Amino acid sequence: MLALRLALGSHPLVLLRRLMVAAASAGVGFLLLCTLTYALSHPDESGTSGLRLLWCLIPLAATVQFAVAVARTDPSARPRSGLSAVGLGPARLAALSAVSTAVSGTLGSMVALLVFLYLRGDLTGLPFAGAAAELLAAGEPLPLAAALTLLTPVPLLASVAAALALRPRRTTAPPDAPAPAPTGLPWGVALMAAGLAAETYASRGGPGSPLPLPGEFDGNPAGVLTGWTLTALGLALAGPGITRLCGRLLQSLRPGPTRLLAGRILMEESTRIGRPLGVVCAVASGAIAATSVYDGTPPDPLGPLTTLGAALVMTCTTATLLVSALESRQSRAPTTAALRHLGTPAVTLRSAAALRAATLLAAFAPLTWAVAAVAAVPLSR
C-alpha cells in the first residue's frame, strides 16, 4: 500500500517512466503469448517454436534493463533523513522500489493478456474483436495456466533486478575518492574478437542447424548467433572502459576549463553511462549488419513478432540510455550547484555537456559501424 501511495504521488515525469515500463512489459508479454499460440497451432514444429521463444528473450532482457534504470532514477528510492527516522532506511526503500517495479510489470502483463484475448476473439461485444484470430490460433483452446506462467517472468525478473541494483552496499573508500576505474575493457575486447571469430568460422560450416537463419545461408546459423551474442556482450562490457578512456583523452595536452570539466565528468560517470551506451551500440550494429546483408530489406521470418520485438529492443535500449543520462545529471546536481555558486558561467557547463556528447559520438559511432561491417562480411559470402 505504501508503494502504491508513493507511486500515485510521484511527479508526472516519474509516472510517465513507470507507464513506459508497463508498456514495455505489455509488449514482451504479448510476444510470449503469441509464441504460446504458435506452439498450440503447430505442435509438430517444436524447433520453430523454440526459436520464437528465444527471440522473446532479447526484448525481455532489454525491458528488464530499462525497468532497472527507471527504478534507479525513482525519487522515492533515495534515502532521506526523515524517512530513516520512521524506519524507511535504504534497504526498505529498495524493497519499496522493487515492489513499484513489480506493480508496473504486472500492470503491463495484464494489459498484454487483455489485448491478446481481445484480438484473439475471446472477449466479445467490442469493435474489432477477433481481428487477429487466425494469427493467434483462435480455434485452439488457450491453457490459462500456461499463459499466466509466461506473463510472470517480466514483473518477477524486473523487480528482482531492481532490488539487487538498489540494495545498500558497504564501501571502505573515503567520501571524496574518485569512482573506481572500470576493468571490463580488456574482457570486452576479447569477447568481441572471440565473437567475430566464431561468427566467421561458423559461416563456413555446413547446414543442418536447428536455428535456421532467414534467406539463403548454408553455414551454421546457431554458431553465427552464438558469435553475434558474444560480440554484443563484448560491446556492453567494453562500454564503460571506452567512456573512461574518452574522458582521459579530453583531459590530456593542457586542457582548458571546458575540456577538464567534460573529461572529469566522463571519467566519473563512465560506468553509469558506458554500459547502456555499449548496449545501444550492440543493437545498432546488429541492425546495420542485418540491413547490409539483406540489401536494406531485412526479412520477417517470425511475422509480426520480428517487427514488434525489434521495436521493443530499440526503444528500451535507447530509453535506458536517456534515463541513465538523467540519473547521471541528478547525481552531479550538487557539484553543478557548487560550480554555479563559485561563479562558473552557464555557457561553460553547456559547452562541457556538448563536448561530452560529441566525444562519445566520435568514439562509439565508428566502433559501431566497424563491428557491423566485420560481422556482415561472413554472412554476405
Side-chain angles (χ1 to χ4, degrees), residues 42-367:
H42 301 80
D44 298 332
E45 300 181 9
S46 58
T48 305
S49 300
L51 177 61
R52 288 169 174 258
L53 186 60
L54 288 177
W55 169 240
C56 295
L57 295 181
I58 302 177
L60 173 61
T63 300
V64 171
Q65 183 194 25
F66 177 52
V68 171
V70 171
R72 292 175 64 94
T73 58
D74 192 349
S76 61
R78 300 173 191 167
R80 282 164 287 183
S81 57
L83 293 178
S84 299
V86 295
L88 293 178
R92 190 71 62 85
L93 289 178
L96 287 176
S97 182
V99 172
S100 299
T101 304
V103 170
S104 299
T106 303
L107 175 62
S109 297
M110 292 300 100
V111 170
L113 181 59
L114 292 176
V115 172
F116 173 79
L117 295 176
Y118 166 70
L119 294 178
R120 196 171 183 263
D122 294 333
L123 298 180
T124 58
L126 297 174
F128 303 105
E134 182 178 358
L135 177 64
L136 301 179
E140 300 290 336
L142 180 67
L144 184 59
L148 295 179
T149 301
L150 287 177
L151 293 175
T152 302
V154 179
L156 179 62
L157 293 177
S159 60
V160 171
L164 292 177
L166 296 175
R167 71 186 188 278
R169 297 178 176 85
R170 294 182 179 180
T171 177
T172 58
D176 56 347
T183 58
L185 182 57
W187 293 103
V189 174
L191 279 178
M192 283 191 288
L196 294 174
E199 183 180 353
T200 303
Y201 178 79
S203 65
R204 300 174 181 175
S209 170
L211 298 177
L213 286 181
E216 297 180 358
F217 180 71
D218 295 330
N220 184 351
V224 172
L225 292 177
T226 301
W228 177 245
T229 302
L230 290 176
T231 304
L233 290 176
L235 272 172
L237 194 59
I242 297 175
T243 303
R244 187 176 181 87
L245 182 61
C246 291
R248 188 174 294 277
L249 290 177
L250 279 178
Q251 298 178 81
S252 61
L253 300 177
R254 297 181 179 179
T258 302
R259 278 205 297 144
L260 186 63
L261 180 60
R264 192 63 180 174
I265 291 177
L266 280 182
M267 292 183 65
E268 290 290 334
E269 304 294 335
S270 58
T271 301
R272 183 178 287 122
I273 295 297
R275 187 171 292 112
L277 187 56
V279 174
V280 169
C281 289
V283 173
S285 61
I288 294 172
T291 303
S292 61
V293 168
Y294 298 106
D295 298 327
T297 55
D300 199 11
L302 306 181
L305 287 178
T306 303
T307 304
L308 179 58
L312 276 174
V313 171
M314 293 180 181
T315 302
C316 287
T317 52
T318 304
T320 300
L321 178 59
L322 296 177
V323 172
S324 299
L326 176 62
E327 181 188 6
S328 175
R329 181 180 179 181
Q330 292 175 349
S331 66
R332 65 172 184 272
T335 303
T336 303
L339 290 174
R340 294 297 301 271
H341 182 73
L342 293 175
T344 303
V347 65
T348 302
L349 300 177
R350 290 194 293 267
S351 299
L355 183 58
R356 294 197 304 272
T359 303
L360 292 177
L361 181 63
F364 281 92
L367 177 62

